[in-house]
Short mmCIF file of all heavy atoms in Angstrom, two decimals:
data_model
loop_
_atom_site.label_atom_id
_atom_site.label_comp_id
_atom_site.label_asym_id
_atom_site.label_seq_id
_atom_site.Cartn_x
_atom_site.Cartn_y
_atom_site.Cartn_z
N GLU A 24 0.93 3.05 -1.55
CA GLU A 24 2.22 2.46 -2.01
C GLU A 24 2.36 1.05 -1.54
O GLU A 24 2.76 0.15 -2.29
CB GLU A 24 3.43 3.29 -1.54
CG GLU A 24 4.76 3.00 -2.16
CD GLU A 24 5.81 3.95 -1.68
OE1 GLU A 24 5.47 5.23 -1.57
OE2 GLU A 24 6.94 3.51 -1.48
N LEU A 25 1.98 0.87 -0.26
CA LEU A 25 2.16 -0.53 0.24
C LEU A 25 1.14 -1.43 -0.38
O LEU A 25 1.45 -2.69 -0.69
CB LEU A 25 2.00 -0.55 1.81
CG LEU A 25 2.30 -1.82 2.48
CD1 LEU A 25 3.75 -2.28 2.21
CD2 LEU A 25 2.20 -1.56 4.03
N ALA A 26 -0.07 -1.00 -0.59
CA ALA A 26 -1.11 -1.79 -1.28
C ALA A 26 -0.61 -2.22 -2.69
O ALA A 26 -0.82 -3.38 -3.09
CB ALA A 26 -2.40 -1.06 -1.35
N GLU A 27 0.01 -1.25 -3.37
CA GLU A 27 0.53 -1.59 -4.67
C GLU A 27 1.59 -2.66 -4.59
O GLU A 27 1.64 -3.58 -5.41
CB GLU A 27 1.12 -0.25 -5.24
CG GLU A 27 1.61 -0.38 -6.71
CD GLU A 27 0.56 -0.39 -7.75
OE1 GLU A 27 -0.52 0.30 -7.51
OE2 GLU A 27 0.69 -1.04 -8.75
N THR A 28 2.52 -2.54 -3.62
CA THR A 28 3.50 -3.49 -3.40
C THR A 28 2.98 -4.83 -3.09
O THR A 28 3.50 -5.93 -3.48
CB THR A 28 4.45 -3.02 -2.18
OG1 THR A 28 4.99 -1.77 -2.54
CG2 THR A 28 5.61 -4.03 -1.97
N LEU A 29 1.87 -4.91 -2.43
CA LEU A 29 1.18 -6.17 -2.23
C LEU A 29 0.35 -6.64 -3.33
O LEU A 29 -0.43 -7.60 -3.19
CB LEU A 29 0.25 -5.95 -0.97
CG LEU A 29 1.00 -5.70 0.36
CD1 LEU A 29 0.03 -5.22 1.47
CD2 LEU A 29 1.66 -7.11 0.89
N ASP A 30 0.42 -5.99 -4.49
CA ASP A 30 -0.34 -6.39 -5.70
C ASP A 30 -1.84 -6.28 -5.52
O ASP A 30 -2.56 -6.97 -6.08
CB ASP A 30 0.03 -7.78 -6.25
CG ASP A 30 1.49 -7.80 -6.72
OD1 ASP A 30 1.97 -6.83 -7.28
OD2 ASP A 30 2.18 -8.88 -6.54
N ARG A 31 -2.21 -5.28 -4.69
CA ARG A 31 -3.64 -5.07 -4.39
C ARG A 31 -3.88 -3.59 -4.42
O ARG A 31 -4.15 -2.95 -3.41
CB ARG A 31 -4.08 -5.65 -3.09
CG ARG A 31 -3.75 -7.10 -2.89
CD ARG A 31 -4.64 -8.07 -3.62
NE ARG A 31 -6.03 -8.05 -3.14
CZ ARG A 31 -6.39 -8.71 -2.09
NH1 ARG A 31 -5.59 -9.47 -1.37
NH2 ARG A 31 -7.70 -8.67 -1.69
N PRO A 32 -3.64 -2.91 -5.58
CA PRO A 32 -3.79 -1.47 -5.64
C PRO A 32 -5.10 -0.91 -5.19
O PRO A 32 -6.15 -1.43 -5.41
CB PRO A 32 -3.55 -1.12 -7.16
CG PRO A 32 -3.64 -2.42 -7.82
CD PRO A 32 -3.53 -3.54 -6.97
N LEU A 33 -5.04 0.29 -4.52
CA LEU A 33 -6.18 0.97 -4.04
C LEU A 33 -6.20 2.35 -4.64
O LEU A 33 -5.16 2.91 -5.11
CB LEU A 33 -6.12 1.10 -2.49
CG LEU A 33 -6.02 -0.16 -1.66
CD1 LEU A 33 -5.81 0.17 -0.24
CD2 LEU A 33 -7.23 -1.00 -1.88
N VAL A 34 -7.37 2.85 -4.71
CA VAL A 34 -7.53 4.32 -5.15
C VAL A 34 -8.24 5.08 -4.18
O VAL A 34 -9.09 4.53 -3.48
CB VAL A 34 -8.28 4.38 -6.52
CG1 VAL A 34 -7.58 3.70 -7.63
CG2 VAL A 34 -9.66 3.75 -6.40
N PRO A 35 -7.97 6.36 -3.94
CA PRO A 35 -8.64 7.24 -3.01
C PRO A 35 -9.99 7.77 -3.62
O PRO A 35 -10.01 8.11 -4.83
CB PRO A 35 -7.64 8.34 -2.78
CG PRO A 35 -6.77 8.41 -3.95
CD PRO A 35 -6.77 7.04 -4.54
N ILE A 36 -10.91 7.82 -2.79
CA ILE A 36 -12.19 8.48 -3.18
C ILE A 36 -12.37 9.59 -2.13
O ILE A 36 -12.34 9.45 -0.92
CB ILE A 36 -13.42 7.53 -2.98
CG1 ILE A 36 -13.24 6.23 -3.75
CG2 ILE A 36 -14.68 8.19 -3.34
CD1 ILE A 36 -13.18 6.36 -5.23
N TYR A 37 -12.32 10.85 -2.69
CA TYR A 37 -12.30 12.01 -1.80
C TYR A 37 -13.67 12.39 -1.49
O TYR A 37 -14.72 12.03 -2.09
CB TYR A 37 -11.61 13.13 -2.53
CG TYR A 37 -10.13 12.84 -2.74
CD1 TYR A 37 -9.67 12.28 -4.03
CD2 TYR A 37 -9.21 12.90 -1.72
CE1 TYR A 37 -8.36 11.97 -4.15
CE2 TYR A 37 -7.85 12.65 -1.89
CZ TYR A 37 -7.43 12.07 -3.13
OH TYR A 37 -6.13 11.82 -3.31
N ARG A 38 -13.77 13.22 -0.44
CA ARG A 38 -15.06 13.71 0.12
C ARG A 38 -15.93 14.34 -0.91
O ARG A 38 -15.49 15.01 -1.85
CB ARG A 38 -14.77 14.76 1.27
CG ARG A 38 -14.13 14.18 2.44
CD ARG A 38 -13.78 15.24 3.47
NE ARG A 38 -14.99 15.94 3.79
CZ ARG A 38 -15.51 16.08 4.94
NH1 ARG A 38 -14.99 15.41 5.99
NH2 ARG A 38 -16.55 16.68 5.24
N GLY A 39 -17.17 14.03 -0.82
CA GLY A 39 -18.13 14.52 -1.77
C GLY A 39 -19.54 14.02 -1.32
O GLY A 39 -19.59 13.23 -0.37
N THR A 40 -20.50 14.46 -2.00
CA THR A 40 -21.91 14.10 -1.66
C THR A 40 -22.02 12.50 -1.80
O THR A 40 -21.73 11.97 -2.80
CB THR A 40 -22.90 14.75 -2.58
OG1 THR A 40 -22.65 16.15 -2.51
CG2 THR A 40 -24.29 14.47 -2.19
N ASP A 41 -22.43 11.92 -0.65
CA ASP A 41 -22.58 10.56 -0.65
C ASP A 41 -21.48 9.68 -1.05
O ASP A 41 -21.62 8.57 -1.54
CB ASP A 41 -23.88 10.13 -1.46
CG ASP A 41 -25.13 10.65 -0.89
OD1 ASP A 41 -25.24 10.80 0.35
OD2 ASP A 41 -26.12 10.96 -1.63
N TYR A 42 -20.28 10.17 -0.88
CA TYR A 42 -19.06 9.40 -1.35
C TYR A 42 -18.83 8.15 -0.49
O TYR A 42 -18.05 7.26 -0.99
CB TYR A 42 -17.82 10.30 -1.27
CG TYR A 42 -17.20 10.57 0.00
CD1 TYR A 42 -15.93 10.05 0.30
CD2 TYR A 42 -17.75 11.28 1.05
CE1 TYR A 42 -15.25 10.22 1.49
CE2 TYR A 42 -17.19 11.47 2.24
CZ TYR A 42 -15.90 10.95 2.50
OH TYR A 42 -15.27 11.14 3.68
N LEU A 43 -19.41 7.99 0.66
CA LEU A 43 -19.25 6.80 1.48
C LEU A 43 -20.38 5.82 1.27
O LEU A 43 -20.32 4.68 1.66
CB LEU A 43 -19.11 7.11 2.92
CG LEU A 43 -17.96 7.96 3.31
CD1 LEU A 43 -18.03 8.30 4.82
CD2 LEU A 43 -16.62 7.37 2.88
N ALA A 44 -21.44 6.14 0.58
CA ALA A 44 -22.71 5.37 0.46
C ALA A 44 -22.36 4.02 -0.13
O ALA A 44 -21.85 3.93 -1.27
CB ALA A 44 -23.73 6.14 -0.42
N GLY A 45 -22.57 2.95 0.63
CA GLY A 45 -22.33 1.61 0.27
C GLY A 45 -20.95 1.20 0.06
O GLY A 45 -20.70 0.05 -0.34
N ARG A 46 -19.96 2.04 0.36
CA ARG A 46 -18.56 1.66 0.20
C ARG A 46 -17.99 0.82 1.33
O ARG A 46 -18.35 0.96 2.41
CB ARG A 46 -17.77 2.96 0.07
CG ARG A 46 -18.03 3.76 -1.10
CD ARG A 46 -16.78 4.27 -1.74
NE ARG A 46 -17.04 5.25 -2.68
CZ ARG A 46 -17.08 5.03 -4.03
NH1 ARG A 46 -16.74 3.82 -4.41
NH2 ARG A 46 -17.28 5.96 -4.85
N THR A 47 -17.08 0.00 0.90
CA THR A 47 -16.24 -0.79 1.76
C THR A 47 -14.79 -0.45 1.43
O THR A 47 -14.44 -0.42 0.22
CB THR A 47 -16.47 -2.29 1.67
OG1 THR A 47 -17.87 -2.56 2.01
CG2 THR A 47 -15.59 -3.09 2.51
N GLY A 48 -14.07 -0.06 2.46
CA GLY A 48 -12.68 0.31 2.20
C GLY A 48 -11.99 0.78 3.45
O GLY A 48 -12.46 0.54 4.58
N ILE A 49 -10.86 1.40 3.34
CA ILE A 49 -10.08 1.97 4.39
C ILE A 49 -10.31 3.45 4.49
O ILE A 49 -10.06 4.21 3.65
CB ILE A 49 -8.53 1.66 4.21
CG1 ILE A 49 -8.35 0.21 4.11
CG2 ILE A 49 -7.76 2.27 5.36
CD1 ILE A 49 -6.85 -0.13 3.71
N LEU A 50 -11.00 3.86 5.62
CA LEU A 50 -11.39 5.19 5.81
C LEU A 50 -10.47 5.95 6.78
O LEU A 50 -10.16 5.56 7.78
CB LEU A 50 -12.78 5.21 6.41
CG LEU A 50 -13.51 6.53 6.65
CD1 LEU A 50 -13.69 7.34 5.41
CD2 LEU A 50 -14.82 6.42 7.38
#
């Protein structure tokens, strides 16, 4: 909600096979 308010929307990526591979984000 706060990211949206800051006009920088984020989406969640849920646990799964290799879901973190190469990702940059808030974990």
Side-chain angles (χ1 to χ4, degrees):
E24 191 176 318
L25 191 54
E27 184 79 32
T28 300
L29 291 162
D30 293 323
R31 305 286 292 279
L33 302 175
V34 294
I36 306 295
Y37 296 97
R38 292 176 56 116
T40 305
D41 293 330
Y42 80 113
L43 298 178
R46 292 223 191 261
T47 296
I49 300 171
L50 178 63

